[in-house]
Amino acid sequence: MSYNEISTKESRIFMLELLKRNKREYAREYVIRVLRHNIINLNLKPGQLVSENEIAEILGVSRTPVREAFIELSKSSLVEIYPQKGTCISPIDMDIVEESRFMRCVLEKAVVKLCCDILSDSDIANLEENIRLQESCVEHKDYERLLFLDNSFHEYLFKACNKKMTYSLIKSAMAQFDRVRILNFAEMDMKITVNEHKQILNAIKNKDKEMAEDLMEKHLTRVIFDMSYLMEKHPEYFKGSSIKISNLARES
């Protein structure tokens, strides 16, 4: 997408969700955190123009940390910077989404098998409480909270197996994937995700490694089956991709 193609899009930020600034948090880190949060949750839409001046004013910071935040976010393909012209929120890149999904699938299938041997009764109780909260999100159609709890569910599995560093590597590459997931929650049946988490946890409780691995793969691959519908409904959100959705679905 060229700058000229997005130059006619609305640039004002109407839905920027403000986050509380942490004590001793540098302005740059705060701006990155706020923008990343709003990009992932689609408050800032793919293709939308964003203004240094406007964001600086809203967040109460100078233009320098905003400019630095744009540069940092461009490294993870969340924004596109056009020198002397402006900055826009990057369209969702399905090539990056698929690579993120592939990485998660490989690692989480291994982790869920470890969980069958390692998780304690206390761990199971904590995960069951997480799922209970997920069900409440479905009831109240709280997509943002559900995404947070979804990520927390998966993160807990890694931490319980003493694989925190591995999860950190996954988390750093999840931004594009998370935008698709929040769109999926908004457009598709949220209950499906929660039910899949229940099934995975039941397999872990039964110490059924093969079933747990299979369920995790299906859980992380389902987005491929929903993608054709999402891309058809919101073509303006997606970047042209070399990935063939139908082929991926067959391979999965």
Side-chain angles (χ1 to χ4, degrees):
M1 179 181 293
S2 68
Y3 180 80
N4 288 335
E5 287 176 313
I6 54 90
S7 61
T8 59
K9 288 185 179 289
E10 180 61 69
S11 64
R12 286 198 56 78
I13 303 170
F14 294 107
M15 297 294 292
L16 191 67
E17 180 183 350
L18 301 182
L19 304 178
K20 184 177 180 180
R21 187 168 174 177
N22 299 326
K23 290 183 178 180
R24 300 180 181 178
E25 185 175 27
Y26 290 115
R28 174 181 176 276
E29 279 66 40
Y30 174 61
V31 177
I32 291 172
R33 187 163 62 86
V34 171
L35 291 179
R36 183 183 175 89
H37 173 86
N38 280 274
I39 291 170
I40 288 174
N41 287 288
L42 299 180
N43 297 323
L44 294 174
K45 309 294 185 186
Q48 179 180 349
L49 285 171
V50 286
S51 160
E52 276 186 19
N53 289 334
E54 188 172 23
I55 292 175
E57 182 180 353
I58 292 172
L59 298 184
V61 299
S62 69
R63 290 178 58 185
T64 299
V66 176
R67 190 177 307 116
E68 292 173 345
F70 283 167
I71 293 171
E72 185 62 29
L73 291 169
S74 71
K75 295 176 183 177
S76 53
S77 300
L78 290 179
V79 303
E80 295 178 356
I81 302 171
Y82 299 90
Q84 309 304 319
K85 293 182 179 180
T87 300
C88 78
I89 306 303
S90 297
I92 298 171
D93 188 326
M94 280 307 300
D95 290 325
I96 296 176
V97 171
E98 165 53 21
E99 191 165 353
S100 300
R101 184 207 66 82
F102 174 80
M103 178 175 65
R104 283 194 62 180
C105 196
V106 170
L107 293 172
E108 295 204 39
K109 284 168 61 179
V111 163
V112 79
K113 290 172 67 177
L114 289 175
C115 286
C116 291
D117 294 328
I118 293 175
L119 258 59
S120 65
D121 290 342
S122 176
D123 292 325
I124 297 296
N126 288 333
L127 289 167
E128 287 177 336
E129 173 62 14
N130 175 284
I131 290 175
R132 187 190 69 77
L133 294 173
Q134 289 182 41
E135 291 175 325
S136 177
C137 290
V138 172
E139 182 180 348
H140 295 94
K141 300 186 184 302
D142 190 342
Y143 314 127
E144 184 177 316
R145 178 68 174 166
L146 179 58
L147 180 63
F148 171 79
L149 290 167
D150 186 339
N151 286 337
S152 296
F153 178 88
H154 289 269
E155 182 177 10
Y156 194 100
L157 299 180
F158 280 84
K159 288 184 174 180
C161 297
N162 197 28
K163 297 291 182 290
K164 295 180 183 179
M165 186 172 67
T166 305
Y167 184 80
S168 295
L169 293 173
I170 289 177
K171 186 176 180 179
S172 66
M174 275 173 47
Q176 293 276 4
F177 192 34
D178 280 350
R179 285 202 290 174
V180 173
R181 291 165 66 207
I182 201 74
L183 185 60
N184 188 290
F185 289 159
E187 300 288 353
M188 313 297 280
D189 187 352
M190 298 165 66
K191 292 180 183 178
I192 295 174
T193 293
V194 181
N195 288 337
E196 287 174 347
H197 287 154
K198 286 182 181 179
Q199 292 169 357
I200 291 168
L201 184 56
N202 282 335
I204 293 172
K205 288 164 67 175
N206 293 330
K207 301 187 183 300
D208 189 336
K209 294 182 180 181
E210 185 175 346
M211 178 63 73
E213 184 181 25
D214 183 55
L215 288 169
M216 182 62 78
E217 181 172 15
K218 289 179 179 178
H219 175 59
L220 294 175
T221 304
R222 178 170 51 83
V223 65
I224 299 300
F225 294 90
D226 297 335
M227 198 51 54
S228 294
Y229 170 79
L230 296 174
M231 293 178 74
E232 181 178 348
K233 186 166 185 180
H234 297 283
E236 72 280 8
Y237 286 177
F238 293 87
K239 180 179 180 180
S241 171
S242 63
I243 295 291
K244 300 294 185 182
I245 300 299
S246 59
N247 289 343
L248 277 172
R250 284 197 297 271
E251 292 169 6
S252 299

